[in-house]
C-alpha cells in the first residue's frame, strides 16, 4: 500500500514532465557545461516576446533506412574526459558518449519512476525495504557474455569500495544493509545483497524504506569478467579507471557497440545485432565534439543530425530551415557557489570552516540580492533562461516551493545586509572592507564558453561592485571545463566563489548535491538542520507525500536563509535535429526517447 501511495504521489508532482510544457529530461548529477557560448544578437525580438511552446518530437514520420548513419554532436569547447563507465565518470559529456552503448537494467516512465519495461524486472517487498531485480533473457554484454546479477553486485562493490574516489557513494548506496561496514573495510562482502544460484536475480535489502527507491535506485551493472575483479585482487580501482577497457574499448549491453574512440574527440559505434530490444534503427552512429562557434554551420550543412544547441544561439538557430527545433525546460539550473570549507578525503565528508572568508551568511545573502538574473535570461539567452528561486527546480512541480521568492534582485537590500554585517567602505574608494576593516576581495572562478560567457561573468562582477564588493576572475580569466572543476573539486584556495551548473537527475532528493558526505557539495556547507531535513526527506515517513513536501519546503527555506549557493537561472534545453531523422523525441514518456529508435529516412542529409 505504501508503494502504491508513493507512485501516485510521484505521478502528481512529475505530471508536468510530459506534454508540450514538458519540464524535464533524465540526466545524471553532473557538473553542467557552461552554455554561454556565442555572440549575442542585437536588435531582434527575444524568445520571451514569443509564446514558448516548442515541439518535443521531430516532424519526420517516414520509415528509417536499414543502412543509415546517424551523426551526433557533443557540443563542447573542450574534449570529453573519456571515463566511459557509469561508476567512475563525472561530467555530462561522458554521459552523452555512454548513452549509445550502455544503459540501466530498469527502465523509467514519463514520471521518472522505475518500470518493468527494461532489461530486468523488479519486485518490492518487506515494507519497501527489499527489492529483487531479475535480468531477462538475451541480455548480453557486447562481447557475448550474459549480463549477470553479480555484475550489478559488482557495481555496488565498486561504489562502496574503500578505494573508490568517485562521487556516487550517496544515500541510495550507503542505505544498503551492510554497505557501511564494507565501505570502511570492516567486511569483505556487502551483507544486504544476495545473488540467486542461477545468477539472474539480485536482492537488495535496505536499512530504511525510502521513496527514493522508486526514482533513484542504481541499476547500471559493470562487466566483472571484462574489467577484472577488484574484490579478488585481480586489479585495483585506479587501474580500472585508467584502463583502455574504459577509455578506448568500453563495452555495455546497449544498442550500439563502440568501434573506435579518438580520445576526447570522437566515437564511432556500430549496431548491436544482439540488442535485447531488437535491431537498432541505424546501422552506425558517429559522435564527434563540435565547438559551439561552429555547430550552427555544421547543422546548416547537414554534417550533423542531432545537437543540443546553446540557448545564446537561439535567434540564429530558429532561422535554419533544414532542422526541427525541439525544446523543453531542463532538469538543471545554474548557480553561484560560495566556498565555505574543505573536503576531508580521509573522513569522506565536508568540513565547514567557521572562519571562511564568506562565513557570514549576510554577505552571501547580499551577493544573491545584488545579482540581476533577469537581464541574463532575457538579454543574453533570449528568454530561454529565467530567474531561479530555490534549489528544487520547477520540474518537480509539487516539491518546488513556488511561494518561496528566493532572493530577488534588490541592490538596496544587499547594501543594508552588508552594512549590518559590518562590511563598510572605510576609505571612500567605493569598495567595502570586511568587518575587521581589512581589504575584502573575492576570487571568482567561471567557465569559458562562447562569447556570452565573459559578459555574464563581468555582469555579475559589476552587480557586486555596485553594492561595494570587489570581485575579480581567478587568474584573471575564464577556465575551460575540466580545469575549472579540478579547481572547484580540490578546494583550490584561489577560488572564493564560482559559477557552475547542475543536472539534477530524476529524483528530487538533493542529498547527493548538498549532503554532509556528498563530494559534489562543492561549497562544503554543513549544518545539523541540513542533515536532519535531508534525512527526513528520504525517510519512511516521506512515503506520505504531504510530509515529504513539507520537509522539502523547509529545506528550500533553509537554503534561501543560509545561501551556501545562490541559484541564478532555470533553463530550456534546445535541440536541433536534421529533417532526415525519424523516431526522435525529447519526451521522456515517448518510445522514441531512446537511442535505439533513432534513425534516418534517407542517405543524404537535408541541407
Amino acid at each position: 500500500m505504501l508503494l502504491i501511495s508513493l507512485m501516485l504521489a510521484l505521478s502528481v508532482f512529475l505530471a508536468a514532465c510530459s506534454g508540450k510544457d514538458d519540464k524535464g529530461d533524465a540526466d545524471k548529477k553532473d557538473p553542467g557545461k557552461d552554455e554561454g557560448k556565442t555572440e549575442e544578437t542585437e536588435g531582434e525580438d527575444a524568445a520571451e516576446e514569443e509564446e514558448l511552446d516548442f515541439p518535443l518530437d521531430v516532424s519526420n514520420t517516414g520509415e528509417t533506412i536499414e543502412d543509415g548513419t546517424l551523426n551526433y554532436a557533443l557540443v563542447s569547447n573542450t574534449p570529453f574526459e573519456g571515463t566511459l563507465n557509469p561508476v567512475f565518470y563525472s561530467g555530462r559529456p561522458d554521459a552523452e558518449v555512454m548513452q549509445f552503448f550502455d544503459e540501466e537494467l530498469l527502465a523509467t516512465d514519463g514520471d521518472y519512476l522505475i518500470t518493468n519495461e527494461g532489461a530486468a524486472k523488479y519486485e518490492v517487498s518487506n515494507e519497501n525495504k527489499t527489492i529483487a531485480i531479475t535480468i531477462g533473457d538475451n541480455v548480453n554484454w557486447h562481447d557475448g557474455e550474459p549480463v549477470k546479477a553479480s555484475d550489478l553486485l559488482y557495481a555496488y562493490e565498486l561504489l562502496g569500495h574503500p578505494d573508490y574516489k568517485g562521487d556516487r557513494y550517496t544515500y541510495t548506496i550507503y542505505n544498503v544493509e551492510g554497505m557501511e561496514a564494507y565501505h570502511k573495510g570492516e567486511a569483505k562482502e556487502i551483507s544486504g545483497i544476495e545473488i540467486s544460484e542461477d545468477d539472474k536475480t539480485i536482492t537488495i535489502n535496505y536499512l530504511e524504506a525510502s521513496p527514493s527507491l522508486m526514482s533513484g535506485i542504481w541499476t547500471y551493472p559493470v562487466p566483472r569478467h571484462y574489467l577484472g575483479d577488484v574484490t579478488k585482487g585481480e586489479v585495483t580501482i585506479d587501474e580500472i579507471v585508467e584502463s583502455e577497457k574504459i577509455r578506448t574499448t568500453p563495452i555495455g549491453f546497449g544498442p550500439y557497440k563502440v568501434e573506435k574512440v579518438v580520445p576526447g574527440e570522437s566515437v564511432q559505434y556500430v549496431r548491436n545485432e544482439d540488442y535485447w530490444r531488437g535491431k537498432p534503427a541505424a546501422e552506425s552512429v558517429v559522435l564527434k565534439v563540435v565547438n559551439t562557434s561552429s555547430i550552427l554551420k555544421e547543422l546548416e550543412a547537414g554534417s550533423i543530425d542531432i545537437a543540443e544547441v546553446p540557448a545564446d544561439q537561439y535567434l540564429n538557430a530558429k532561422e535554419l530551415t533544414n532542422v526541427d527545433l525541439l525544446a523543453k525546460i531542463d532538469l538543471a539550473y545554474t548557480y553561484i557557489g560560495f566556498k565555505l570549507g574543505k573536503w576531508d578525503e580521509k573522513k569522506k565528508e565536508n568540513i565547514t570552516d567557521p572562519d571562511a572568508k564568506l562565513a557570514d551568511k549576510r554577505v552571501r545573502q547580499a551577493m544573491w540580492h545584488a545579482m540581476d538574473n533577469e537581464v541574463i535570461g532575457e538579454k543574453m539567452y533570449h528568454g530561454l533562461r529565467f530567474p531561479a528561486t530555490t534549489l528544487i527546480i520547477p520540474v518537480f512541480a509539487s516539491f518546488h516551493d513556488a511561494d518561496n521568492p528566493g532572493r530577488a534582485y534588490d541592490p538596496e537590500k544587499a547594501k543594508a545586509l552588508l552594512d549590518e554585517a559590518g562590511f563598510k567602505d572605510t576609505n571612500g574608494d567605493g569598495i567595502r572592507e570586511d568587518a575587521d576593516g581589512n581589504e575584502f576581495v573575492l576570487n571568482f572562478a567561471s567557465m569559458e564558453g562562447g562569447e556570452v560567457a565573459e559578459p555574464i561573468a563581468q555582469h555579475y562582477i559589476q552587480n557586486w561592485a555596485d553594492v561595494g564588493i570587489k570581485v575579480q576572475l581567478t587568474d584573471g580569466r575564464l577556465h575551460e571545463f575540466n580545469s575549472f572543476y579540478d579547481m572547484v573539486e580540490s578546494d583550490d584556495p584561489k577560488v572564493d566563489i564560482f559559477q557552475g551548473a547542475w543536472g539534477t537527475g530524476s529524483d528530487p532528493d538533493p542529498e547527493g548535491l548538498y549532503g554532509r558526505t556528498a563530494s559534489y557539495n562543492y561549497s562544503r556547507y554543513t549544518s545539523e538542520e541540513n542533515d536532519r531535513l535531508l534525512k527526513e526527506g528520504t525517510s519512511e515517513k516521506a512515503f506520505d507525500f504531504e510530509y515529504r513536501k513539507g520537509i522539502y519546503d523547509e529545506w528550500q527555506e533553509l537554503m534561501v536563509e543560509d545561501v551556501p549557493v545562490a541559484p541564478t537561472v532555470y533553463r530550456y534545453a534546445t535541440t536541433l535535429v536534421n529533417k532526415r531523422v525519424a523516431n526522435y523525441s525529447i519526451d521522456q514518456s515517448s518510445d522514441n526517447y531512446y537511442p535505439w529508435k533513432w534513425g534516418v529516412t534517407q542517405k543524404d542529409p537535408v541541407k
Side-chain angles (χ1 to χ4, degrees):
M1 189 65 184
L2 281 174
L3 181 57
I4 294 172
S5 299
L6 166 68
M7 295 180 71
L8 288 173
L10 288 177
S11 294
V12 169
F13 83 78
L14 286 170
C17 294
S18 58
K20 287 198 173 182
D21 293 324
D22 189 59
K23 298 188 179 183
D25 188 8
D27 199 0
K28 296 295 169 230
K29 290 176 178 173
D30 304 330
K33 48 188 179 181
D34 175 43
E35 296 191 359
K37 294 174 179 173
T38 60
E39 184 177 5
E40 180 183 358
T41 304
E42 298 179 357
E44 297 189 55
D45 291 337
E48 74 274 9
E49 297 174 8
E50 307 170 359
E51 182 180 355
L52 294 182
D53 186 12
F54 298 100
L56 303 177
D57 304 281
V58 294
S59 58
N60 187 351
T61 58
E63 292 290 326
T64 59
I65 58 177
E66 173 77 15
D67 56 349
T69 296
L70 192 72
N71 297 304
Y72 182 95
L74 197 170
V75 182
S76 175
N77 293 332
T78 59
F80 61 86
E81 186 180 79
T83 308
L84 304 179
N85 181 279
V87 168
F88 300 110
Y89 86 102
S90 61
R92 181 174 174 179
D94 283 353
E96 289 194 58
V97 174
M98 288 189 289
Q99 69 177 320
F100 292 101
F101 74 85
D102 210 359
E103 61 187 45
E104 295 188 79
L105 287 168
L106 293 179
T108 54
D109 62 16
D111 292 336
Y112 303 99
L113 301 173
I114 57 175
T115 74
N116 280 319
E117 303 302 316
K121 298 185 184 300
Y122 77 93
E123 183 176 349
V124 175
S125 61
N126 187 28
E127 298 182 331
N128 297 298
K129 291 183 180 179
T130 299
I131 186 168
I133 300 170
T134 301
I135 302 172
D137 297 328
N138 195 35
V139 181
N140 299 316
W141 295 108
H142 291 153
D143 62 359
E145 286 292 313
V147 177
K148 301 175 181 178
S150 55
D151 291 324
L152 183 53
L153 167 62
Y154 193 38
Y156 281 82
E157 289 172 337
L158 293 172
L159 290 163
H161 197 279
D163 295 336
Y164 177 66
K165 298 183 180 68
D167 303 299
R168 290 175 173 81
Y169 186 72
T170 56
Y171 174 74
T172 54
I173 304 300
Y174 64 70
N175 187 33
V176 174
E177 190 177 293
M179 181 63 78
E180 281 289 87
Y182 173 78
H183 183 62
K184 293 176 180 177
E186 298 169 357
K188 294 184 177 180
E189 297 180 347
I190 305 166
S191 62
I193 299 181
E194 304 163 14
I195 303 297
S196 64
E197 288 188 13
D198 62 1
D199 211 352
K200 296 282 282 186
T201 300
I202 181 172
T203 302
I204 305 173
N205 297 288
Y206 293 92
L207 296 171
E208 302 173 332
S210 170
S212 289
L213 179 64
M214 298 305 296
S215 56
I217 185 174
W218 182 281
T219 64
Y220 281 103
V222 173
R224 189 190 300 263
H225 72 280
Y226 183 69
L227 295 181
D229 195 336
V230 168
T231 67
K232 294 182 178 178
E234 296 174 359
V235 65
T236 67
I237 283 183
D238 287 343
E239 287 171 341
I240 289 179
V241 172
E242 298 303 322
S243 169
E244 293 302 306
K245 292 181 178 181
I246 280 182
R247 299 284 175 173
T248 59
T249 59
I251 66 171
F253 66 96
Y256 295 93
K257 299 180 180 181
V258 173
E259 185 174 53
K260 180 181 179 181
V261 175
V262 178
E265 297 180 12
S266 65
V267 183
Q268 295 179 23
Y269 311 84
V270 295
R271 177 188 283 139
N272 176 14
E273 300 285 353
D274 192 33
Y275 184 49
W276 65 273
R277 292 185 189 269
K279 181 183 289 188
E283 181 178 52
S284 60
V285 176
V286 176
L287 175 149
K288 67 175 183 177
V289 174
V290 180
N291 193 282
T292 55
S293 64
S294 58
I295 185 57
L296 290 188
K297 292 180 182 178
E298 296 225 25
L299 284 160
E300 184 177 23
S303 56
I304 289 297
D305 289 310
I306 301 173
E308 185 172 323
V309 176
D312 59 348
Q313 301 196 31
Y314 168 74
L315 296 181
N316 291 325
K318 71 176 184 175
E319 298 301 320
L320 297 184
T321 59
N322 65 325
V323 299
D324 289 321
L325 192 158
L326 314 179
K328 63 179 181 178
I329 297 177
D330 205 1
L331 273 172
Y333 60 89
T334 307
Y335 67 94
I336 297 294
F338 302 94
K339 278 292 183 183
L340 304 176
K342 301 284 186 181
W343 173 255
D344 188 318
E345 181 61 31
K346 186 175 181 180
K347 293 182 178 179
K348 301 291 185 183
E349 67 177 57
N350 295 288
I351 306 296
T352 300
D353 180 2
D355 298 319
K357 186 185 290 189
L358 286 158
D360 192 325
K361 69 180 180 182
R362 292 170 295 185
V363 178
R364 307 194 297 270
Q365 292 169 352
M367 292 184 72
W368 186 353
H369 279 300
M371 293 186 289
D372 188 351
N373 294 313
E374 190 168 351
V375 166
I376 296 293
E378 291 182 357
K379 302 303 182 184
M380 297 188 185
Y381 286 117
H382 314 299
L384 296 177
R385 300 286 186 270
F386 52 100
T389 54
T390 80
L391 296 178
I392 293 183
I393 57 178
V395 172
F396 303 123
S398 292
F399 288 160
H400 169 72
D401 186 358
D403 294 327
N404 189 327
R407 292 190 178 273
Y409 176 55
D410 188 343
E412 295 308 312
K413 176 67 172 176
K415 292 175 184 177
L417 283 164
L418 290 168
D419 288 343
E420 183 183 322
F423 282 62
K424 298 180 179 180
D425 177 11
T426 59
N427 57 16
D429 65 354
I431 300 300
R432 296 171 184 265
E433 280 67 45
D434 68 17
D436 296 321
N438 300 315
E439 182 183 41
F440 186 70
V441 180
L442 297 175
N443 293 303
F444 176 32
S446 191
M447 284 179 282
E448 65 184 20
E451 293 191 17
V452 301
E454 179 83 26
I456 287 172
Q458 294 300 333
H459 170 79
Y460 286 137
I461 289 173
Q462 184 60 54
N463 282 170
W464 293 318
D466 289 343
V467 299
I469 298 177
K470 183 176 181 179
V471 177
Q472 60 192 18
L473 289 174
T474 298
D475 299 326
R477 59 182 173 85
L478 302 182
H479 291 79
E480 63 88 25
F481 179 90
N482 294 314
S483 64
F484 169 84
Y485 276 107
D486 284 345
M487 287 193 300
V488 172
E489 290 172 355
S490 66
D491 303 316
D492 192 312
K494 293 188 299 183
V495 178
D496 299 313
I497 59 176
F498 56 96
Q499 180 176 218
W502 282 125
T504 63
S506 56
D507 184 357
D509 172 26
E511 188 272 342
L513 297 179
Y514 298 106
R516 187 178 292 269
T517 60
S519 58
Y520 278 149
N521 180 358
Y522 293 146
S523 71
R524 310 311 180 196
Y525 163 82
T526 60
S527 75
E528 291 184 2
E529 180 67 358
N530 186 50
D531 295 343
R532 182 187 74 81
L533 291 171
L534 291 177
K535 183 175 179 60
E536 287 299 306
T538 56
S539 67
E540 189 167 357
K541 291 180 183 177
F543 279 94
D544 182 312
F545 171 74
E546 291 300 329
Y547 178 82
R548 196 182 198 199
K549 174 175 172 49
I551 288 294
Y552 284 154
D553 282 354
E554 287 186 56
W555 183 80
Q556 289 168 88
E557 185 177 350
L558 176 68
M559 293 297 101
V560 170
E561 174 65 23
D562 286 359
V563 197
V565 308
T568 55
V569 290
Y570 304 131
R571 58 198 193 178
Y572 280 83
T574 52
T575 302
L576 269 58
V577 186
N578 191 276
K579 289 185 177 179
R580 74 171 183 150
V581 176
N583 302 337
Y584 182 87
S585 176
I586 59 172
D587 181 357
Q588 169 83 9
S589 65
S590 171
D591 289 341
N592 294 333
Y593 182 78
Y594 300 98
W596 78 284
K597 297 281 286 188
W598 308 344
V600 295
T601 57
Q602 60 188 56
K603 278 280 190 181
D604 296 326
V606 178
K607 298 184 179 180

